[in-house]
Amino acid sequence: MDTDKNDSLPNDLAACHALISEQASEMEKLRKLLSRLVNGSRSEKRILSGPSQAILPFETEEEYQSAKEEAEAEAKQIVDQYTVTRHERNKKRRNESLPAHLPRVEVEVEVDAALKNCPEHGERKQMGEDVVGTLVLSHPKLTWKSDAIPSWFAKQIASAA
């Protein structure tokens, strides 16, 4: 028997080193597998000890169910209390207007005569203005310039409506 083992071993030094490293890596894999099988997964390795971490002392299924229902009722009461006492914070409304302290310059735009007259209905009547605001930066101050552009409609259409 002893002679069979010696026949399978290599005779040169490099082959022996290769065989040893191969067997060492295989042994390490088997050691890790054995450790995982014996100790369990990582979360199962650490069992916390303390009064709140004890095993639940239920001898029958009925005791377990009644304790479970009691715990669920207590949890529901806590959740209800939390939702009742919780309040939503008021969101601040955004004021998207520019500051009032900026100087404002209003310019009335002259409209072309072709826009004031309709080829089909005649003279148009002004119904309002479209205001276009431009923030003008003139060093070292800001001013607000708004252009009032007249909007037109035909008189006959207005009287028909």
Side-chain angles (χ1 to χ4, degrees):
M1 287 260 179
D2 223 12
T3 58
D4 289 341
K5 288 182 182 177
N6 290 337
D7 291 340
S8 66
L9 294 175
N11 290 334
D12 63 307
L13 186 59
C16 286
H17 281 285
L19 181 64
I20 289 172
S21 68
E22 179 184 319
Q23 288 181 350
S25 67
E26 186 176 335
M27 190 183 318
E28 185 61 31
K29 288 179 187 175
L30 291 173
R31 185 177 293 129
K32 287 181 181 178
L33 178 63
L34 180 63
S35 174
R36 193 177 309 130
L37 290 173
V38 169
N39 296 328
S41 67
R42 179 172 278 211
S43 64
E44 295 171 354
K45 285 183 186 177
R46 296 170 43 197
I47 297 176
L48 302 174
S49 59
S52 63
Q53 298 293 325
I55 297 175
L56 297 176
F58 299 118
E59 295 181 11
T60 64
E61 183 68 24
E62 291 81 25
E63 287 181 18
Y64 169 72
Q65 290 299 330
S66 65
K68 180 181 173 186
E69 289 171 5
E70 184 179 319
E72 286 174 351
E74 185 179 338
K76 186 179 184 317
Q77 182 182 10
I78 291 170
V79 168
D80 290 343
Q81 180 183 2
Y82 174 73
T83 55
V84 167
T85 59
R86 193 180 88 195
H87 65 281
E88 287 194 29
R89 294 183 180 170
N90 295 334
K91 292 184 179 180
K92 292 183 180 178
R93 293 182 153 237
R94 283 184 58 174
N95 183 4
E96 298 195 8
S97 62
L98 291 170
H101 71 275
L102 289 178
R104 296 177 183 263
V105 177
E106 293 187 11
V107 177
E108 292 200 19
V109 177
E110 287 297 320
V111 181
D112 190 44
L115 288 175
K116 289 183 179 182
N117 292 313
C118 177
E120 291 182 29
H121 304 102
E123 184 181 352
R124 293 181 175 162
K125 183 178 177 183
Q126 185 174 346
M127 66 176 187
E129 296 175 337
D130 293 329
V131 178
V132 178
T134 307
L135 189 61
V136 179
L137 174 66
S138 57
H139 290 285
K141 64 176 184 171
L142 288 171
T143 59
W144 177 258
K145 175 187 164 195
S146 62
D147 299 333
I149 304 167
S151 302
W152 301 92
F153 69 95
K155 287 182 184 178
Q156 292 178 348
I157 293 174
S159 62

